[in-house]
Amino acid sequence: MTLSLALASPACAQSAKRGQELTFNDMFESPNAAAPQAVAFAAGPNNLRFVLDRSQPRVVLLQFDGDPEVWALTSSWGPRGDEFLRNDIGEVIVRITTLGGVTVYGPLGTNGGLAASQGKAKSLPAPSRSEGTLQATLQKALRWFDRFSSRSIRVEASGGLPPALVHEALERAAQGMSRAPRGYFGRPERKVKLIRVQRSFDQPSVRWQSGVLTIGVVPGAGYAGRPSSAAVLLALTRSR
C-alpha cells in the first residue's frame, strides 16, 4: 500500500509554599485520591510550559506546550536520592531533587532550566485520535513524508493494528525525521523508501536498514507503546 530575590509578602510566601508542597507531593508520593496526578510547570527565560503526569502505572507522561508529542518517561534514582526521568533512548528529560527542585532538559538543551510549579493540571489523555480507517491514516501520513524525498515514500502497516496507534507512530516518525540535519536524506544511502509499522509483542522498537524504516508498536501500552521521535532520529542517524 502506498500512500514537531527580595522579601515577599506573607500572601506571596504562603502561595509559594503551597506551590512547593504541591510539587513535592506530586513528584515523590504515590498517587492517591487526595493528590493531583498531573502538575503544570514553566521553565527557562521564555517560560516553557509543560505537564508532568503520573497517572500511568509504569511511566511518567510529559508534554511540552505546542508540541504534539507526549513523552513516556521512565524513572530511576540517583545516589543522592534525586529522581531522573528518561526517554526511551536514555536521555534525561527531567531531574527532580530530594528537596523538590525540578530541572527540565529537552528543548532547553543539556544545561536545562529550573522549572516552577504552576499548580494542578489535567491528566494527559490517552492517544485516541483516529483517522477512521487504517487506509485513511496511511494516506494522511504520506503527506507528512513528502518533503523528505523527491520520490514517493511508501507507508504500510501490518498486524491488525488500531488506526490511532499507527497514526501516533507515523506522526512520531515524521517528527523524528524532521529533526535530522538539513539535507540529510539527500544522499542515496540515506533515502527512505518504505516506512513500515508492525506489531511488537514485548516493547516498541525502531530499525533502519537498506532504505526501510521499521517501527514496532505494542497495542494497549498507550504512549509507551511506540518509539519516540528521539528514538526514530537516533535509528536514522546512528551510523552517520
Side-chain angles (χ1 to χ4, degrees), residues 77-213:
W77 299 87
R80 295 186 301 177
D82 292 353
E83 184 181 16
F84 295 89
L85 302 179
R86 302 175 186 271
N87 64 14
D88 54 351
I89 63 171
E91 295 174 329
V92 175
I93 303 299
V94 178
R95 175 189 176 191
I96 304 167
T97 70
T98 54
L99 298 178
V102 178
T103 301
V104 63
Y105 300 92
L108 296 181
T110 55
N111 293 326
L114 293 177
S117 171
Q118 304 292 295
K120 300 178 183 180
K122 292 182 179 179
S123 292
L124 297 173
S128 58
R129 291 175 298 179
S130 175
E131 301 304 307
T133 67
L134 182 58
Q135 183 166 346
T137 297
L138 296 176
Q139 287 174 336
K140 179 176 182 179
L142 283 175
R143 297 193 292 271
W144 298 339
F145 301 109
D146 280 346
R147 66 184 184 277
F148 301 115
S149 176
S150 58
R151 302 180 63 182
S152 296
I153 295 176
R154 291 188 296 135
V155 180
E156 65 181 35
S158 62
L161 297 171
L165 180 57
V166 174
H167 179 283
E168 176 72 14
L170 291 174
E171 190 175 43
R172 300 289 72 75
Q175 198 167 7
M177 291 173 67
S178 71
R179 292 172 180 164
R182 185 174 180 178
Y184 183 81
F185 298 105
R187 294 178 57 174
E189 68 273 19
R190 295 173 179 168
K191 288 188 181 299
V192 181
K193 302 173 184 176
L194 169 65
I195 301 174
R196 177 186 295 126
V197 182
Q198 62 187 29
R199 183 182 293 263
S200 179
F201 294 96
D202 47 5
Q203 60 184 8
S205 62
V206 56
R207 185 174 70 255
W208 166 244
Q209 186 175 15
S210 303
V212 179
L213 182 67

